[in-house]
Amino acid sequence: MSLNQRQQPLPTVAKHGLLMSSRASFSAAQPQGIMSSFLLSRSGLLSVLALLLFLVVFVPLPGRRPMFALFYDDGPVSRWKDYTVARAAGFAARNDTLIVTSVSEPFLPLLNNWLISIARQKRQDQVLIFAEDYATLYEINRRWPGHAVLVQPAPDSQTAHDYGSQGFYNFTSRRPRHLLQVLELGYSVMYNDVDIVWVADPFRYLEGDHDVYFADDDVAVKPLNHSHDLPPPGTNGQTYVCSCMIFLRPTRGAKMAMSSWIEKIQNEPWSENTQMNDQPAFNFALNKTAGEVDLYLLPQAAFPSGGLYFRNGDWVERTRGLHAIVHNNYIVGLQNKIQRFKEYGLWLADIHTDESPLGRI
């Protein structure tokens, strides 16, 4: 049966607008044959391969950088590899004061959450990030030029190391050296762990003109008018100050405390038996230098530990309006921290990325 015999009569508009004659159909098929012959030819294959190479190199996948950016960036890679702490601090400091943290690539989502909370207090411009791997250094400075620096040698920081592990120790043990370097440059510096969220401006609680300000990591509730002296030792004979939140002035006393911290870390490296981290060494340094360094314990209501804030709802209600930062500790694991922030309404990095200088990560 011919095509004309099978075809049902079409509406007039179809006859005039859509229906092609056999001759027209043959003419339309000719370019397809020509295209097939071209693709099967040597020059055609080379053209297709060239197109594919162009797409791979110059067109990024969603959320990824184009491959050519690895070799030619808007700021050359060597520029950031040779970027010094002195130059970075001079760029970011405001009123001779910096806000710093250290971070490796797996923890960039937490970094972004922290940055959004700081941006809400209008202090993001004075942030300096100590990148602990090159991927982090390049990515932050690509998005936010000048706000990240890497101090050699860079540790292996491609894994999200958990508290107590050797990787975690290697990462955190660099902290006092970073801080001492900033102090030697003449800047005051606030250090935060990256799993912190600001709910108010913590600078308003830095009363007086002390050398070292710090927060207690204990879960026991203190009176609102508690002493600001170094806390007494616990049952194990040690204080339990947190190295997560520290403010330092560029004084002889602060530099002495940092040097003592560095020395203690060097004398007690991590082992399977001890599974050390930097915090006991920080407590040791504070106790050792207490007679020569002007120390100040920050108010617990403004700087609670995660063990207090996330586990004592009655206390949170009684002190509402007094909190400055919330530290998401007393929990292990990156995803566990993110989930807990979400449960308490403190995860900002999903729907408030427009407030971050880094954008969406």
Side-chain angles (χ1 to χ4, degrees), residues 89-110:
F91 171 77
R94 301 293 184 272
N95 297 319
D96 293 327
T97 302
L98 288 162
I99 302 166
V100 308
T101 192
S102 57
V103 67
S104 59
E105 188 176 23
F107 291 92
L108 286 177
L110 280 178

Side-chain angles (χ1 to χ4, degrees), residues 22-315:
S22 300
R23 184 174 181 179
S25 299
F26 174 75
S27 299
Q30 282 184 313
Q32 297 179 8
I34 295 171
M35 179 61 71
S36 298
S37 299
F38 173 73
L39 290 176
L40 292 174
S41 68
R42 183 178 180 182
S43 59
L45 289 174
L46 289 175
S47 298
V48 171
L49 289 175
L51 176 62
L52 289 175
L53 181 61
F54 176 86
L55 293 174
V56 168
V57 173
F58 290 96
V59 180
L61 294 172
R64 300 293 299 275
R65 300 173 63 189
M67 185 176 292
F68 83 91
L70 297 176
F71 307 98
Y72 181 81
D73 206 344
D74 48 358
V77 164
S78 61
R79 171 188 176 190
W80 303 120
K81 186 175 180 180
D82 299 332
Y83 195 45
T84 65
V85 174
R87 287 180 60 197
F91 171 77
R94 301 293 184 272
N95 297 319
D96 293 327
T97 302
L98 288 162
I99 302 166
V100 308
T101 192
S102 57
V103 67
S104 59
E105 188 176 23
F107 291 92
L108 286 177
L110 280 178
L111 172 74
N112 215 23
N113 199 62
W114 175 73
L115 275 175
I116 294 169
S117 71
I118 292 177
R120 291 184 168 190
Q121 305 302 323
K122 311 300 183 186
R123 287 192 178 270
Q124 72 276 12
D125 288 341
Q126 65 192 112
V127 168
L128 176 60
I129 300 160
F130 283 93
E132 299 295 351
D133 54 66
Y134 285 109
T136 300
L137 174 71
Y138 300 149
E139 184 62 15
I140 292 173
N141 282 335
R142 182 181 73 85
R143 294 168 176 263
W144 195 28
H147 283 273
V149 66
L150 186 145
V151 177
Q152 297 283 2
D156 175 16
S157 302
Q158 301 304 309
T159 304
H161 297 292
D162 287 336
Y163 180 88
S165 67
Q166 184 173 8
F168 181 85
Y169 172 83
N170 293 341
F171 177 81
T172 59
S173 64
R174 292 162 56 87
R175 183 182 316 175
R177 295 201 298 273
H178 296 335
L179 296 177
L180 180 58
Q181 191 169 1
V182 172
L183 294 177
E184 295 287 3
L185 292 169
Y187 298 101
S188 295
V189 56
M190 175 178 285
Y191 172 83
N192 284 179
D193 275 356
V194 77
D195 59 348
I196 276 176
V197 166
W198 289 22
V199 294
D201 191 334
F203 280 85
R204 63 180 179 174
Y205 291 97
L206 303 178
E207 298 181 358
D209 196 27
H210 308 282
D211 296 326
V212 182
Y213 298 71
F214 49 87
D216 201 338
D217 208 20
D218 203 353
V219 298
V221 174
K222 300 178 183 294
L224 292 179
N225 61 346
H226 67 74
S227 170
H228 296 288
D229 294 335
L230 186 67
T235 55
N236 61 356
Q238 298 179 356
T239 53
Y240 204 48
V241 169
C242 190
S243 56
C244 59
M245 159 65 209
I246 307 168
F247 181 78
L248 306 165
R249 301 191 191 279
T251 60
R252 174 181 172 276
K255 295 174 187 177
M256 181 186 301
M258 294 301 100
S259 297
S260 180
W261 188 5
I262 293 168
E263 181 182 9
K264 184 64 174 177
I265 288 174
Q266 291 173 340
N267 292 338
E268 294 188 7
W270 187 92
S271 70
E272 286 287 352
N273 293 329
T274 61
Q275 295 191 357
M276 286 287 292
N277 61 78
D278 71 305
Q279 187 160 299
F282 180 56
N283 279 263
F284 173 87
L286 293 181
N287 282 273
K288 180 181 179 181
T289 61
E292 301 175 77
V293 179
D294 187 356
L295 305 176
Y296 186 86
L297 175 64
L298 292 161
Q300 184 187 54
F303 301 86
S305 68
L308 178 58
Y309 185 89
F310 293 109
R311 299 179 183 178
N312 193 331
D314 290 340
W315 179 87

Side-chain angles (χ1 to χ4, degrees), residues 199-200 204-205 301-304 309 315-316 319-326:
V199 294
R204 63 180 179 174
Y205 291 97
F303 301 86
Y309 185 89
W315 179 87
V316 171
T319 56
R320 190 168 298 280
L322 300 178
H323 312 141
I325 70 166
V326 176

